[in-house]
Every structure is written in C-alpha cells, then in structure tokens.
Amino acid sequence: AGDEKKARESLDRAAKIDSADPSFWNRLGKLYASIVFKPDTEPKSEDLARVNQIFKKAAEHAGEDAAILKDVADYYAASRQIKEAIPLYIKVLELQPDDAGARERLATGFMLTNQRDKAVEMLEEIIKLHPEKYQSYDLLAQLLEDNARTLDRANQKERAKAEFAKAVANYEQSLLINPGRATTTLRLAELLIGAVRDS
C-alpha cells in the first residue's frame, strides 16, 4: 500500500522472532531488500547491514539447502558484495555440481574480484558441461582478450598472440551457436583486424 514506515516496523518485529527456518529468513531478507534497495539511490549503510544480517541468518540455517544458499549468494551479488557471494556459490556448486547458473555467477564474481585465472577455469568447466550456451564462450573470449592485452602491454608478445588466438576461437564458437549477435561479430572483427592481423 506504499506505507514504508509501517512495513519497516512489521519487518523489524519479524526480525526479532527466534526461528531456525531458513525460508523464513530468506523471505524476510527479500522483503527487507525490496524496501531498502531503490532504483538510482544507494542504500544507507545501516539498512545494508540490517539486510545482510537477515540473509546471514538464512545462510546459517540453510544447511545443505542449495536453493536458499543460491538466493543469499544472489542477494550479495546483486548488492555488489561479491566477496560474500563467492563462497556461497562455491558451496552451491558442491551441493549441485550441474548448476550452470551458479557456475556463471561464480565466474562473473571471480572476474569482478580480478581472480581472472579462476574465472577462466570456471568458464571452461561451464563450456564442458553446457557446450550449447553461447554466453559462456562470449565471457571467456572477453576474459582471454583482456589477458592478451595485459600480456601485450607487458611485452610478452608470444603469450599475448596465443591468448588472442584463443579469444578469436571462442568468439567464433559463440557466433556458430548464435549467429545474430552484432556485438560479438564486431568484437571478433576488431580482434582479427587489430591484434591478430588477419584481415
């Protein structure tokens, strides 16, 4: 009904309940987050800490409930708390090794925290499990291209050339699966003209 003050009061009362049900804390966290996170505004630090505390309880009581752990990890990732999200995604993958969504989010988390080697490793695993998904090839190609440019700047020309070639192969694979992607086509063309010099 748009009465944020009363909603907060209700949620604060709910947060005082002594419950070991992870679904309760998960739902409470989502409700609280829907009030705290508004488009185009940063949440107050005390509000963020409050929501974190609720989701932390959900994770503590989740045990081996992969769905709850994934929800909590998604919350941390969405609120740009990547370091908190990564260990939860790892736990989700221990419980559900075939969860491609968690694997992709983990790879993205590694990328955002500059753990590039782990991100490459994770994306290669995703491709082995789901070779039909073009997104993984795209992400991997971007990472390899970034690595190659870093090597090139460091004057390691041979290693850079090898990384550029791998990036090209992944962009090409992505376009084989989904040929209509203009951005990928342009990236590939830029790479072929510039770094790889294969006009």
Side-chain angles (χ1 to χ4, degrees):
D3 192 338
E4 189 181 311
K5 187 171 178 283
K6 279 191 177 171
R8 277 179 182 262
E9 286 168 6
S10 298
L11 292 170
D12 284 337
R13 277 202 307 279
K16 289 178 183 142
I17 291 171
D18 185 20
S19 172
D21 178 6
S23 297
F24 168 78
W25 293 110
N26 190 31
R27 282 200 307 275
L28 183 63
K30 286 178 178 178
L31 283 168
Y32 223 112
S34 70
I35 290 175
V36 168
F37 294 96
K38 295 185 178 81
D40 307 323
T41 54
E42 283 293 311
K44 292 178 188 161
S45 57
E46 63 267 21
D47 283 342
L48 185 66
R50 187 90 179 106
V51 181
N52 283 357
Q53 193 181 7
I54 293 167
F55 274 111
K56 192 176 173 198
K57 283 186 181 177
E60 283 168 2
H61 294 295
E64 301 210 335
D65 187 333
I68 300 280
L69 292 168
K70 192 172 174 184
D71 277 352
V72 177
D74 286 347
Y75 156 72
Y76 281 125
S79 58
R80 297 196 297 272
Q81 300 176 78
I82 306 300
K83 285 191 170 100
E84 285 77 8
I86 287 173
L88 291 166
Y89 282 131
I90 289 171
K91 194 167 179 189
V92 169
L93 285 172
E94 284 167 6
L95 298 167
Q96 293 183 333
D98 294 336
D99 189 331
R103 224 171 254 285
E104 277 174 26
R105 289 186 189 112
L106 182 58
T108 306
F110 284 141
M111 283 165 64
L112 292 171
T113 53
N114 271 333
Q115 299 179 60
R116 291 178 177 279
D117 292 343
K118 284 186 178 178
V120 167
E121 202 177 294
M122 189 60 59
L123 286 164
E124 284 170 345
E125 277 182 43
I126 295 167
I127 287 167
K128 275 183 204 157
L129 289 169
H130 297 277
E132 75 288 352
K133 292 185 81 174
Y134 74 89
Q135 296 93 331
S136 307
Y137 292 103
D138 254 11
L139 265 176
L140 182 56
Q142 288 169 41
L143 256 181
L144 291 166
E145 188 181 343
D146 286 349
N147 285 351
R149 292 195 191 289
T150 305
L151 289 165
D152 197 42
R153 282 192 295 274
N155 237 0
Q156 297 182 35
K157 301 294 180 193
E158 284 307 307
R159 283 183 64 202
K161 195 175 167 186
E163 290 287 281
F164 279 129
K166 285 188 206 167
V168 164
N170 279 286
Y171 279 134
E172 285 174 340
Q173 190 58 42
S174 169
L175 288 169
L176 278 174
I177 297 165
N178 189 1
R181 288 185 48 82
T183 316
T184 305
T185 310
L186 283 171
R187 278 197 182 123
L188 176 59
E190 269 175 37
L191 207 52
L192 288 168
I193 293 167
V196 181
R197 291 186 174 77
D198 184 353
S199 55

